[in-house]
Amino acid sequence: MVDKLTLSDAQWRERLTPEEYDVLRRHGTERPGSGCFLGTKTPGTYVCAGCGNPLFKAGTKFESGTGWPSFTQPLSGADSVTEISDRSHGMVRTEVRCARCDGHLGHVFPDGPPPTGQRYCMNSVAMKHVEEGQPLELVRA
């Protein structure tokens, strides 16, 4: 079971950049094509920008053509992400959140490539990349 990180709104505002706060805490979305992780192929792990929780291995990333970094699957187990029904903006989608801090990461769609058929469409600003061989460190309260 993941060790939850719960902070006040003021604490989140203090820790995050305005862009990170908008996406992670207010469920915003970066403009398509603007994310720093589009086209990157560096081995490693993508972690939550808010709390450092490991989310995706770089090897599951693929070019979806949508303008956002996409992955076929999160890290295994329930400690990486949670999925929640999202009926905002007149659509029915599945929101993806960090399992540790509940930060909004993006959405998952059933139109991805094999082996999962899933497309985890994430906001670059909601993640950080930790290169392979570097330690994964969780942010503490």
Side-chain angles (χ1 to χ4, degrees):
M1 181 81 176
V2 68
D3 178 30
K4 285 284 198 181
L5 177 64
T6 305
L7 300 174
S8 69
D9 186 63
Q11 289 172 308
W12 282 120
R13 283 185 184 273
E14 209 172 273
R15 290 173 178 235
L16 302 172
T17 68
E19 295 82 12
E20 290 169 342
Y21 180 82
D22 182 56
V23 171
L24 287 164
R25 308 317 309 168
R26 298 187 66 224
H27 306 266
T29 301
E30 64 194 9
R31 285 187 345 271
S34 68
C36 64
F37 294 128
L38 283 176
T40 60
K41 298 185 186 318
T42 308
T45 303
Y46 289 88
V47 301
C48 176
C51 71
N53 191 40
L55 305 170
F56 301 94
K57 289 301 277 180
T60 65
K61 188 171 176 287
F62 70 98
E63 180 51 55
S64 65
T66 62
W68 290 276
S70 298
F71 301 84
T72 57
Q73 64 189 31
L75 289 170
S76 61
D79 290 348
S80 58
V81 302
T82 56
E83 297 178 12
I84 297 163
S85 178
D86 177 1
R87 296 178 179 274
S88 64
H89 307 292
M91 297 179 271
V92 178
R93 303 177 290 178
T94 302
E95 179 186 7
V96 179
R97 293 185 187 175
C98 171
R100 183 166 182 251
C101 72
D102 290 322
H104 172 77
L105 303 170
H107 291 85
V108 62
F109 302 95
D111 60 1
T116 65
Q118 300 295 304
R119 175 174 51 94
Y120 284 82
C121 192
M122 302 293 102
N123 289 285
S124 288
V125 73
M127 302 180 297
K128 296 192 182 296
H129 181 266
V130 178
E131 288 192 27
E132 197 166 302
Q134 297 299 309
L136 299 175
E137 298 180 23
L138 296 176
V139 171
R140 300 287 170 202

